[in-house]
Amino acid sequence: MTRLVPTGVLLLGALYCLLPVSWVLVAASKSPGELFTLGAFTPGSGLLGNLAELSAYRDGVFWKWTANTALYAGGGALLSTAVSAVAGFALAKYRFRGRNLIFNVLIGGVLVPSVVLAVPQYLLFAKVGLADTYWAVLLPQILHPYGIYLARIYAGAAVPDSLLEAGRIDGGGEWRLLRKVGLPLMVPGMVTIFLFQFVAIWNNFLLPFIMLGDDGKFPLTVGLYTLLAAGANQPSLYNLIITGALLSIIPLIALFLTMQRYWRTDLSGGAVKG
Amino acid sequence: MRTTRLALAALAVTLAAGCSSGGDAAPEPEAAAPTGPVTLTYWTWAPNMDKIAQVWNAANPGITVTVSKQAGGDDAAAKFLTAAKAGNAPDLVQAEYQHLPSFVAADAVADLAADTAAVKGEYAEGLWGLVTLGTEGVYAIPQDSGPMMLYYRKDLFEKYKIDVPKTWDEYAEAARTVHEADPKVYLGSFSSKDPGWFAGLAQQAGAQWWSISGDSWKVGIDDAATTRVAEFWGGLVAEGVIDDQPYFTPEWNKALNDGTQLSWPSAVWGPGVLESNAPDGKGKWGVAPLPQWTAGENHSGFWGGSSTAVSSGSKNRAAALKFATWLNTDPAALDLLVKEAFVYPAAGKGQTALGDPPAYFAESQPDFWQQAATIGTTARGFTFGPNVGVTYNAYKDGFDKALKDKAPFATAVKSMQDATVADMQKSGFTMAG
């Protein structure tokens, strides 16, 4: 009985999360005529047709958006992880004037939703002439307060001071210590930060929507939105949007499945060291 | 607050300039012919506009137009205003008629009055008024328009033995007949999510939501005409003989497709929606003029439609205007607009250029375009104000609430009026009365 209740709650949670995804999967198989006529979970016959139509839409602009999203999410998450790891390491392992102030400001930064910053960031980027460039979407996502916060906590727990002391006695410089001692120990934490940032950038809508004017630089989220809001007098291309949404979540699922083992190490590692 | 005041100052300046300069406005320095090849950016959401721009680029090597396809609707207007504020706006932008006043108020679009005298004759007077906003200025070139008409299922009208309603009274009577014959079936639906639709019906009834005299605005959203339209639909919804499903929802699409909704007062761009959302109805729909408020009258309104504006920040204003003029008035371009972008062109000669009816109507209404052209001449618009976004949001909130509380629809109209006036006062506009 005591075991049944949590299992039941978890099953309900899984159902709650998976039902919409399975709806997308089924709906993507429907041709435009079937979309509003077949039952919600009755598979249609148009998946291949939808895929072909999506690929052909405006000379394959969908794949361009996919490549853009991969660049924004992959590049942004990598850079953000690097910055977070170095900053977190420094905050955790060095004592210097203003350390607590910086950390408190960072925690304040965690509380400010990035949505609020998008418009001011746009105005600033426009001023320096970077609006409507790839940098306009990449740069604001590199500094991520929550990532630095996580890295600091993780470095504090996973990198023993004694190990660093030993390295210093052996004559290692600070950079060398960071690279050879700190970062290898922090890998599981960095994977967590990378995944967090990757998913956040992959799904980000508002920042690229405001920053970008050129539809060749759009990520998937903004690109698919142009299909949805096609103007009052044009029908929305629902079948393409749903198929596009399905394709756009496949990389995320693949990433989680391959990164899962690091994620697990992270949780258990944190528990032992903490 | 500072930006608002700047915007107001800009509006005052543009309006004053429009009133005082008369016909002999000197061409502005930016309007001088560009030297060397120029590149223009164009934000639009019309389908296949990039293909149309390619045709222009091939014929005009000196002026290259790059199309950037945007999401349409209210978000597009907000995005353009933000970009203009940051000095980062595209040279050309697709502007829906109802958003143009807010662009003018923010000084985001250029006044083209000095160079558009030749273009004016291409358009019906009511349409041209939508880009002049009742001033001497010209803030865009009209592209497409959406005169409203009644779409109805010919076969099902016969089945339920109802005639095409000529007046709104007959429409109400038909709604009762149909719903009595089969409680699952409705003649139509009232949409609390489509303020543009309601505005078109109010225009048909003769409403004037905004007017400007001198520099003071008058808001008349709760005038007799609009209240009459609202109470008419409110009565039918309260009786239960009209559905209250918003348009373009999956449920509404389904109802159109399976024949449980028999008609739709919509605009000339309706065929595209019907074709994709109600594929089973192909060859079964017809069109007729909107029902009238008084028998024997002949009025319609506009739902949707947009124009091409040149942004005030453009460094190549003359080239941009040249492209906008070509796009919206040249016969070859109009032909492309119809065939590639599926718009109903605003220019008179574009409308006569329409040949075969939409495939969806080929069997049931072969004279679709002739009908549309006849109805189009009866459509009347009104001047939109500088804060249409506020008004339209108040429409959605107000009518959603009225539907939920089963309150009289006139209260929703009143809330639109109050929200609009309050916002304009807050923004510092001078209000009459």
Side-chain angles (χ1 to χ4, degrees):
Chain A
M1 193 59 207
T2 45
R3 235 176 249 180
L4 271 182
V5 173
T7 315
V9 170
L10 284 178
L11 272 178
L12 270 181
L15 201 67
Y16 179 82
C17 296
L18 289 178
L19 207 64
V21 180
S22 58
W23 181 86
V24 172
L25 188 66
V26 173
S29 73
K30 293 175 184 171
S31 68
E34 292 168 337
L35 193 54
F36 297 115
T37 49
L38 283 183
F41 285 97
T42 316
S45 58
L47 181 62
L48 292 179
N50 287 342
L51 286 174
E53 202 183 327
L54 185 65
S55 288
Y57 177 75
R58 297 183 58 215
D59 303 327
V61 75
F62 176 81
W63 301 112
K64 173 129 225 250
W65 293 336
T66 310
N68 288 341
T69 300
L71 174 72
Y72 293 134
L78 267 182
L79 288 169
S80 168
T81 309
V83 170
S84 300
V86 174
F89 181 81
L91 282 171
K93 291 297 156 194
Y94 295 97
R95 328 234 151 249
F96 52 92
R97 191 187 278 268
R99 184 174 82 131
N100 282 329
L101 180 73
I102 292 179
F103 191 62
N104 289 339
V105 169
L106 274 176
I107 293 198
V110 174
L111 299 176
V112 178
S114 56
V115 171
V116 177
L117 300 176
V119 171
Q121 278 169 346
Y122 173 71
L123 296 176
L124 288 174
F125 272 80
K127 201 154 255 175
V128 293
L130 276 179
D132 199 12
T133 63
Y134 282 104
W135 292 113
V137 178
L138 274 174
L139 284 178
Q141 319 220 45
I142 288 175
L143 195 71
H144 190 233
Y146 190 64
I148 299 176
Y149 171 78
L150 267 186
R152 183 212 190 242
I153 301 296
Y154 197 86
V159 186
D161 283 334
S162 49
L163 219 53
L164 293 176
E165 277 311 313
R168 279 193 195 107
I169 290 165
D170 288 344
E174 297 301 322
W175 268 113
R176 199 178 152 86
L177 281 178
L178 172 71
R179 278 188 295 121
K180 297 287 176 192
V181 181
L183 292 185
L185 286 169
M186 287 169 69
V187 163
M190 285 159 66
V191 169
T192 310
I193 296 170
F194 179 82
L195 278 176
F196 265 136
Q197 266 306 75
F198 191 89
V199 175
I201 302 177
W202 190 278
N203 290 329
N204 198 348
F205 173 78
L206 194 73
L207 184 78
F209 177 72
I210 294 176
M211 286 288 183
L212 300 175
D214 173 7
D215 57 345
K217 298 194 188 83
F218 282 177
L220 280 169
T221 44
V222 180
L224 287 175
Y225 183 62
T226 65
L227 295 188
L228 184 66
N233 51 357
Q234 304 295 340
S236 302
L237 302 161
Y238 287 116
N239 61 320
L240 298 190
I241 298 161
I242 292 171
T243 312
L246 175 68
L247 290 182
S248 76
I249 55 175
I250 288 175
L252 286 186
I253 295 173
L255 190 74
F256 264 82
L257 291 181
T258 50
M259 294 284 213
Q260 212 172 24
R261 56 201 182 95
Y262 295 99
W263 193 280
R264 250 187 244 143
T265 332
D266 164 40
L267 288 183
S268 53
V272 174
K273 294 287 178 188
Chain B
M1 262 354 267
R2 204 174 138 241
T3 48
T4 331
R5 224 175 294 141
L6 278 178
L8 287 177
L11 180 70
V13 168
T14 19
L15 289 176
C19 295
S20 60
S21 63
D24 56 2
E28 296 178 38
E30 294 102 312
T35 50
V38 296
T39 308
L40 303 172
T41 48
Y42 178 22
W43 284 6
T44 174
W45 56 86
N48 296 324
M49 195 56 94
D50 35 2
K51 288 188 194 158
I52 301 176
Q54 272 167 21
V55 174
W56 161 269
N57 292 342
N60 297 274
I63 304 173
T64 308
V65 177
T66 313
V67 167
S68 187
K69 193 174 191 301
Q70 304 291 317
D74 298 346
D75 299 334
K79 183 170 171 175
F80 172 72
L81 280 175
T82 315
K85 200 163 278 175
N88 210 29
D91 298 284
L92 292 144
V93 65
Q94 180 174 4
E96 287 179 289
Y97 296 119
Q98 73 268 24
H99 289 305
L100 197 55
S102 64
F103 293 177
V104 175
D107 201 19
V109 292
D111 182 359
L112 311 169
D115 307 291
T116 45
V119 183
K120 188 181 171 190
E122 304 277 346
Y123 297 99
E125 209 157 302
L127 262 173
W128 192 250
L130 291 174
V131 295
T132 63
L133 318 181
T135 69
E136 297 283 319
V138 175
Y139 299 102
I141 311 286
Q143 181 163 81
D144 58 321
S145 82
M148 289 182 75
M149 45 206 202
L150 185 70
Y151 291 80
Y152 67 99
R153 277 287 289 263
K154 282 191 160 169
D155 54 333
L156 295 177
F157 266 45
E158 264 167 40
K159 181 181 162 196
Y160 292 105
K161 299 192 175 50
I162 46 176
D163 293 324
V164 179
K166 292 207 165 42
T167 62
W168 286 109
D169 284 339
E170 287 178 29
Y171 180 90
E173 211 40 61
R176 291 183 193 108
T177 312
V178 168
H179 192 61
E180 216 163 278
D182 185 345
K184 285 204 297 290
V185 177
Y186 293 98
L187 181 62
S189 185
F190 173 83
S191 174
S192 60
K193 300 274 188 249
D194 291 286
W197 169 78
F198 184 76
L201 291 180
Q203 289 170 350
Q204 187 212 10
Q208 290 292 340
W209 284 6
W210 284 273
S211 48
I212 182 165
S213 65
D215 59 352
S216 68
W217 286 85
K218 195 166 172 300
V219 179
I221 296 171
D222 60 349
D223 63 3
T226 310
T227 309
R228 185 180 186 185
V229 175
E231 280 177 341
F232 172 79
W233 290 98
L236 292 179
V237 169
E239 257 184 77
V241 295
I242 280 283
D243 200 6
D244 56 10
Q245 197 72 252
Y247 299 148
F248 312 113
T249 56
E251 293 81 4
W252 180 77
N253 292 343
K254 193 167 186 295
L256 275 192
N257 195 42
D258 64 15
T260 49
Q261 286 227 356
L262 308 190
S263 73
W264 182 31
S266 179
V268 66
W269 40 260
V273 176
L274 291 173
E275 190 171 1
S276 83
N277 295 356
D280 293 351
K282 187 174 179 181
K284 294 175 183 158
W285 287 79
V287 289
L290 281 185
Q292 300 296 314
W293 286 105
T294 312
E297 273 185 357
N298 203 1
H299 293 300
S300 181
F302 291 105
W303 181 12
S306 63
S307 57
T308 312
V310 176
S311 82
S312 54
S314 172
K315 290 188 184 66
N316 300 299
R317 206 180 274 189
L321 177 60
K322 215 168 155 190
F323 171 74
T325 308
W326 173 83
L327 178 65
N328 297 314
T329 61
D330 186 272
L334 288 171
D335 196 47
L336 287 168
L337 276 182
V338 171
K339 296 214 171 87
E340 297 284 355
F342 312 114
V343 303
Y344 182 71
K349 67 185 171 208
Q351 293 167 6
T352 52
L354 293 158
D356 296 337
Y360 194 82
F361 284 87
E363 290 162 48
S364 47
Q365 193 81 50
D367 61 342
F368 182 88
W369 293 125
Q370 288 85 331
Q371 284 277 347
T374 317
I375 294 168
T377 57
T378 68
R380 51 182 179 187
F382 55 52
T383 307
F384 284 103
N387 60 340
V388 173
V390 172
T391 312
Y392 277 18
N393 279 332
Y395 172 88
K396 294 176 199 168
D397 293 346
F399 280 92
D400 271 345
K401 194 161 180 298
L403 280 178
K404 205 176 84 215
D405 302 349
K406 307 205 181 313
F409 277 17
T411 58
V413 173
K414 187 81 182 64
S415 73
M416 286 168 72
Q417 165 84 8
D418 293 345
T420 309
V421 170
D423 178 69
M424 287 178 73
Q425 277 168 344
K426 201 176 75 189
S427 307
F429 287 94
T430 317
M431 309 297 287

